[in-house]
Every structure is written in structure tokens, then in C-alpha cells.
């Protein structure tokens, strides 16, 4: 075989292995459909999206509302945007990491590797299939909040923007647990590491109390925490107040998480034997 033939063969193989966007999107959507069929046959997989928003809202409002704000109704208007962001963050972060880890242990992803599909399609398919989870969690939260007395003080467009912003951050952060899910072999360890990563982000924020009531070292963390920016942005969009700076910060943080953790998760997945 001549050098020219060898070079041509290498170029052909490289072209075959090079990611092609449209087939990758199609393969990802097919695998997302597979995950949705699994969810339809086992509705219990959506229990956290149905129950967690209700528990969070009831717990914070009726347990802490009187002590923090003096009135549960006033506290509901303050805490609801924070619970919205926390619900969207938790809706996808742990569940998708565990789902990927279980599929890898069962050999499902090895079967995907034998198929002529994009290497990252299985990961993208699972992430896309989590979108209904975000929609259901958001709908349950708004319905529960409305029954408890929460009212949007801006307009419908601003409320949809708040929901979209919280969902975007949750989607971006879910790639952290995807990385954990493909890098760690034990399902229980994935859960533990996922919660350890989530808690400082979810609770070290201005979600439950005003930032100026916290000690200085905690205010420093809250000031840089991306979840805090998302909470303040959603608070402005839902009940009024400045939003531009926090919206831009949330978008930049989300883009940063996606740019770092999505390629890293795909790379670890490709190298996992």
C-alpha cells in the first residue's frame, strides 16, 4: 500500500470519527425518546419532580416564615424565587448522574458504543429526556405557590423568563453530576458526591434570608455563588427589582459550566472501559 493510500485511509477514518452535528442531534433525540419511554412505563421516576417542590415550599414558608419575615405571606413572596431555582437545580442534577451510572453498570452504554452513533449521543439523550422533569417541577411549584397565595408582581413574560433562567442553570449544573456519574463506578457514591457538590451551591445563597444578615465570610461566598445570582435574578423577574446584572451573571455562569463540564464528561465517558 502506498503512502498516498495510507494517508487517504487515515483521512477517511478521521472524517468518519469527526462529530457531525445533525446526525448527533438525531441520535440524541432517539435516545432521549428511549429514556422517556422508560419514564412513561415507570412514573415513579418523576416522584422527586412532583414532591420536592411542594415539600420545599411548605417547609420553608410555614417553618421559617414567621421567624424570618414576621408573616408567612410576606415570606412566601420572598422565598418563592429561591425555591424555584433550587427546585430546577435539584430536578436534574442527581437523577441524571444516577441514571447514567446505572446504565453504564448494566452494560447499556456498551451496546450504544457498538452502534454507528455519535459517542456523546447517549449522554445528550439522557440530558434532553430530563426536560419534562424541569417542566413538571416548575408547573407543580407555581401551582402550589398560587394555592398558598404567591402572586407574580411583574408580568407573564417576566415569569416565563425566570422559569427559563432557573431551568438553564439547572441544565448546566446537571453536567457536573453527569461527569460524576461516568467517572465513579458505585451508584451510592454518585449520590453522596452529588449532594456534597450541590449543598454549598443550593444553601449558601440569598435564597432563604437576606444576604446582609449573614457573617462576612458567608456574604463573600454568596456574592460569587452562581445560584445566588440566579435567585436574585428570578426574584427581580417575579416580584420586581433590578435584574440585568444578575441575569447576565447567571447566563455567563451557565455558559461556563457547559463549556467546562460537558466536554469533560464526554471525554471521560469515551475513555471509560
Amino acid at each position: 500500500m502506498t503512502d498516498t493510500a495510507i494517508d487517504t485511509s487515515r483521512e477517511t477514518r478521521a472524517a468518519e470519527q469527526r462529530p457531525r452535528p445533525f446526525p448527533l442531534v438525531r441520535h440524541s433525540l432517539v435516545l432521549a425518546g428511549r429514556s422517556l419511554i422508560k419514564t412513561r412505563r415507570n412514573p415513579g421516576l418523576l416522584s422527586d419532580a412532583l414532591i420536592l417542590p411542594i415539600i420545599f415550599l411548605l417547609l420553608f414558608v410555614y417553618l421559617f416564615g414567621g421567624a424570618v419575615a414576621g408573616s408567612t405571606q410576606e415570606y412566601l413572596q420572598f422565598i418563592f424565587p429561591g425555591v424555584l431555582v433550587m427546585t430546577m437545580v435539584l430536578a436534574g442534577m442527581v437523577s441524571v448522574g444516577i441514571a447514567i451510572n446505572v446504565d453504564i453498570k448494566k452494560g447499556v452504554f456498551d451496546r450504544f458504543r457498538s452502534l454507528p452513533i455519535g459517542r456523546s449521543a447517549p449522554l445528550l439523550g439522557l440530558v434532553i429526556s430530563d426536560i419534562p422533569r424541569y417542566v413538571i417541577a416548575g408547573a407543580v411549584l407555581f401551582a402550589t405557590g398560587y394555592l398558598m397565595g404567591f402572586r407574580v408582581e411583574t408580568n407573564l413574560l417576566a415569569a416565563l423568563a425566570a422559569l427559563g433562567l432557573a431551568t438553564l442553570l439547572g441544565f448546566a449544573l446537571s453536567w457536573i453530576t453527569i461527569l460524576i456519574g461516568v467517572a465513579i463506578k458505585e451508584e451510592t457514591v454518585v449520590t453522596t458526591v452529588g449532594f456534597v457538590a450541590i449543598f454549598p451551591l443550593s444553601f449558601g445563597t440569598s435564597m432563604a434570608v437576606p444576604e446582609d444578615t449573614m457573617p462576612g465570610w458567608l456574604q463573600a461566598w454568596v456574592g460569587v455563588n452562581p445560584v445566588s445570582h440566579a435567585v436574585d435574578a428570578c426574584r427581580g423577574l417575579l416580584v420586581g427589582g433590578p435584574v440585568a446584572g444578575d441575569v447576565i451573571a447567571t447566563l455567563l455562569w451557565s455558559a461556563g459550566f457547559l463549556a467546562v463540564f460537558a466536554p469533560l464528561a464526554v471525554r471521560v465517558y469515551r475513555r471509560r472501559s
Side-chain angles (χ1 to χ4, degrees):
M1 183 179 295
T2 65
D3 291 342
T4 303
I6 292 174
D7 291 340
T8 303
S9 177
R10 286 175 178 172
E11 290 173 358
T12 302
R13 286 199 301 271
E16 291 174 349
Q17 294 173 357
R18 190 177 302 134
R20 291 173 295 178
F22 294 115
L24 177 61
V25 170
R26 182 163 51 85
H27 299 155
S28 301
L29 291 176
V30 170
L31 293 177
R34 165 192 170 267
S35 297
L36 290 175
I37 291 173
K38 286 174 58 181
T39 303
R40 188 183 64 187
R41 292 175 178 173
N42 186 6
L45 296 175
L46 290 175
S47 59
D48 56 341
L50 294 169
I51 297 174
L52 277 181
I54 299 174
I55 292 177
F56 285 150
L57 210 53
L58 294 175
L59 179 68
F60 279 106
V61 171
Y62 294 118
L63 193 60
F64 303 119
V68 175
S71 163
T72 55
Q73 188 59 40
E74 290 183 10
Y75 191 63
L76 178 61
Q77 293 295 114
F78 177 83
I79 192 69
F80 185 89
V83 175
L84 171 64
V85 174
M86 188 169 69
T87 299
M88 293 298 109
V89 168
L90 295 180
M93 280 193 72
V94 176
S95 61
V96 71
I98 294 174
I100 288 174
N101 187 268
V102 169
D103 275 352
I104 291 175
K105 289 178 67 176
K106 288 183 176 179
V108 176
F109 276 44
D110 288 334
R111 295 180 64 185
F112 290 155
R113 282 195 179 99
S114 67
L115 300 175
I117 61 175
R119 287 294 192 185
S120 54
L123 300 184
L124 291 173
L126 273 176
V127 174
I128 294 171
S129 70
D130 248 9
I131 291 176
R133 184 185 300 275
Y134 294 115
V135 174
I136 292 172
V140 170
L141 182 64
F142 271 96
T144 306
Y146 186 83
L147 292 175
M148 292 172 64
F150 174 77
R151 295 293 181 269
V152 175
E153 298 178 10
T154 52
N155 53 61
L156 177 60
L157 188 61
L160 292 175
L163 180 60
L165 196 67
T167 303
L168 174 64
L169 181 64
F171 175 80
L173 286 173
S174 70
W175 282 96
I176 296 177
T177 47
I178 292 173
L179 174 61
I180 296 171
V182 298
I184 296 177
K185 294 183 178 180
E186 294 300 325
E187 178 184 343
T188 54
V189 180
V190 173
T191 306
T192 302
V193 175
F195 274 112
V196 169
I198 289 171
F199 265 60
L201 288 172
S202 300
F203 292 98
T205 69
S206 57
M207 176 189 74
V209 297
E211 183 180 340
D212 55 11
T213 64
M214 303 175 187
W217 63 268
L218 187 54
Q219 288 187 32
W221 165 246
V222 171
V224 299
N225 187 345
V227 177
S228 290
H229 289 295
V231 169
D232 292 339
C234 289
R235 190 166 284 144
L237 289 167
L238 291 172
V239 299
V243 298
D246 289 309
V247 167
I248 293 172
T250 304
L251 293 175
L252 291 176
W253 270 111
S254 299
F257 283 125
L258 286 172
V260 173
F261 289 101
L264 198 56
V266 172
R267 184 173 183 178
V268 173
Y269 165 68
R270 285 175 173 172
R271 292 187 172 184
R272 180 164 177 168
S273 60

